[in-house]
Amino acid sequence: MSVTIDIAGLPEERIVFAPAPLAELCMALHALSQPTHHPGLHSWTTATKASLDPCLADRLLEADFMWRSSFSDIFMPFAGVPGGSGRPGATLAEDLDTLDRMDDERFVMAALEHCWLALYNEGGGPSPLKDAGARAKALEAAAARGPRQLEFSVRLLDDTDSVRVWMRRLLEDCGEAFFDETWRRLEPRQTADARHKAEVLRRKGLPAALREVSAALSVDEGLTTITADKMVNGQATATDPRIGTGLLFVPTNFGWPHLLVLHAPGWRPVVHYPLDSPELGSAPGSVELLTRRMEALAHPMRMMLCRSLARAPYTTSELARVYGITPPEVSRHLAVLKKAGLLHTRRQGRYVQHQLDLSVVARIGSDFIEGILR
């Protein structure tokens, strides 16, 4: 599974790296609502929650489906307003001004993105502002999140203008309460990172720049398609004249383990990449490799073999005796573990010994989190 971005014919100068304050506010709100996704931000989330005005915290709960389990595209309005520059503003206020220029239909579809994630690649289907069936589906999905979310969604559909005003005030209040100060600290580093990656792109080319962004990104030899290794399928184009050509890379300090790719039809593609990640000792594996490892460990006999192999090296015959199965059966299980990169094999005289690679196994927890949330 992957998300691809068509960049055939895209001039290099249309590939841009830039911080985006509103996008970073979205990630900050997500971290506050899902702190278990971001253990490295524990101190910040704990302190921020403790200092948050109860009234503001209560208001955030009304619309948290826009950042809690999915990331609404309204936080990247610069990618969805036709005729714009396609670049984020220098300040939160500038990004909010861009959001104000987005038409109601696009705003509502993006705000209720969680209601039709399965239709994301098709633009979400008919607008709930115009189609009764789409409205009913949106409200049903909101109701499943809770009464507050349902009430907010009804207000959004019935009085879009007032909700847009309410939403801007909410985000401005977040800025005043905690984000403006946080952004003042983060923006210089993000700007420096964007400049560095733009320079890598200019001097060494796109493949080198993508490697600097994330091990989950790659480009084909013809430099026509960028592929993001994610557990979703999707396609986007950076050369759609209807919205404006270009591809934007946005850094985030709050993002890990999420690597986000905005690929909605009619929007410019955006890659939102994390600057920070745990010190894991090596680059994260592909989703395919992660799948192989999880499947290898899912079998109960292989789990038992691993229990022994984690303690000491064993031969095939020894394992067969311990677990009461035939050597060929052991060999088949070991072959699966070895293909998944979980075993060390070495020869001791005429014996071949196998042992679990504990350094790889230790990474699986973080790899799994990164793989499914990427």
Side-chain angles (χ1 to χ4, degrees):
M1 292 185 285
S2 62
V3 176
T4 60
I5 304 173
D6 181 4
I7 58 168
L10 182 69
E12 189 175 281
E13 60 269 19
R14 300 296 298 167
I15 300 176
V16 175
F17 294 84
L22 183 56
E24 189 71 333
L25 175 54
C26 175
M27 298 309 298
L29 291 172
H30 170 72
L32 288 172
S33 65
Q34 294 279 36
T36 56
H37 287 193
H38 307 273
L41 298 174
H42 177 74
S43 296
W44 182 87
T45 56
T46 300
T48 301
K49 278 187 172 183
S51 63
L52 209 58
D53 177 77
C55 181
L56 177 57
D58 199 50
R59 289 158 61 202
L60 286 172
L61 289 175
E62 294 184 49
D64 74 346
F65 54 72
M66 284 190 279
W67 54 77
R68 183 178 180 84
S69 57
S70 60
F71 303 93
S72 170
D73 290 341
I74 67 167
F75 289 94
M76 296 186 183
F78 42 83
V81 176
S85 68
R87 300 191 180 207
T91 65
L92 179 61
E94 289 181 23
D95 276 349
L96 292 174
D97 288 344
T98 303
L99 181 60
D100 286 343
R101 293 196 293 273
M102 185 179 292
D103 65 73
D104 284 350
E105 189 169 328
R106 187 171 292 227
F107 179 91
V108 168
M109 290 291 286
L112 298 178
E113 185 179 303
H114 71 284
C115 297
W116 32 71
L117 289 175
L119 299 176
Y120 184 89
N121 294 328
E122 287 78 42
S127 168
L129 290 176
K130 299 178 179 178
D131 184 270
R135 174 189 171 94
K137 179 181 177 182
L139 295 181
E140 181 182 359
R145 301 297 178 105
R148 291 185 181 213
Q149 288 79 359
L150 175 59
E151 181 184 352
F152 176 83
S153 299
V154 170
R155 286 195 292 119
L156 176 63
L157 294 174
D158 289 346
D159 192 358
T160 306
D161 286 345
S162 68
V163 172
R164 294 185 68 155
V165 171
W166 179 91
M167 188 71 188
R168 173 156 187 156
R169 177 59 59 86
L170 174 69
L171 298 177
E172 288 174 336
D173 288 349
C174 287
E176 183 177 343
F178 64 88
F179 183 72
D180 289 347
E181 179 182 351
T182 300
W183 183 246
R184 278 192 291 272
R185 292 188 290 104
L186 299 183
E187 185 275 332
R189 182 184 172 194
Q190 292 192 12
T191 297
D193 181 83
R195 287 173 179 166
H196 167 71
K197 288 180 171 56
E199 185 66 9
V200 171
L201 174 65
R202 186 180 70 84
R203 289 179 174 271
K204 299 182 180 180
L206 183 58
L210 293 179
R211 285 193 295 271
E212 293 257 346
V213 173
S214 172
L217 297 176
S218 61
V219 64
D220 65 323
E221 291 186 4
L223 304 182
T224 63
T225 304
I226 292 174
T227 299
D229 184 38
K230 291 173 60 70
M231 286 190 173
V232 294
N233 287 316
Q235 296 178 332
T237 178
T239 57
D240 186 347
R242 294 173 299 175
I243 187 66
T245 61
L247 172 60
L248 178 66
F249 289 85
V250 174
T252 168
N253 288 89
F254 286 95
W256 190 90
H258 309 293
L259 175 73
L260 307 181
V261 181
L262 191 165
H263 59 281
W267 293 62
R268 297 189 191 193
V270 179
V271 177
H272 201 194
Y273 64 93
L275 291 181
D276 295 313
S277 62
E279 296 297 328
L280 298 175
S282 61
S286 67
V287 169
E288 180 184 357
L289 177 59
L290 173 60
T291 301
R292 260 201 320 270
R293 288 176 174 172
M294 299 303 293
E295 289 175 348
L297 294 173
H299 193 286
M301 178 52 69
R302 288 195 284 272
M303 287 289 288
M304 288 191 289
L305 292 174
C306 286
R307 186 173 186 275
S308 295
L309 295 168
R311 289 163 171 77
Y314 285 87
T315 67
T316 300
S317 298
E318 288 175 320
L319 292 169
R321 286 195 299 271
V322 169
Y323 293 103
I325 60 178
T326 66
E329 286 179 285
V330 174
S331 294
R332 285 193 291 271
H333 287 304
L334 294 180
V336 173
L337 294 170
K338 188 171 184 179
K339 186 177 180 181
L342 298 171
L343 288 185
H344 285 311
T345 298
R346 64 177 183 176
R347 182 172 290 276
Q348 282 283 93
R350 63 190 182 91
Y351 298 102
V352 176
Q353 296 181 326
H354 311 277
Q355 189 168 16
L356 201 64
D357 188 337
L358 291 178
S359 64
V360 173
V361 176
R363 285 178 48 86
I364 289 177
S366 294
D367 281 352
F368 180 67
I369 292 172
E370 183 164 5
I372 61 175
L373 297 180
R374 183 183 291 164

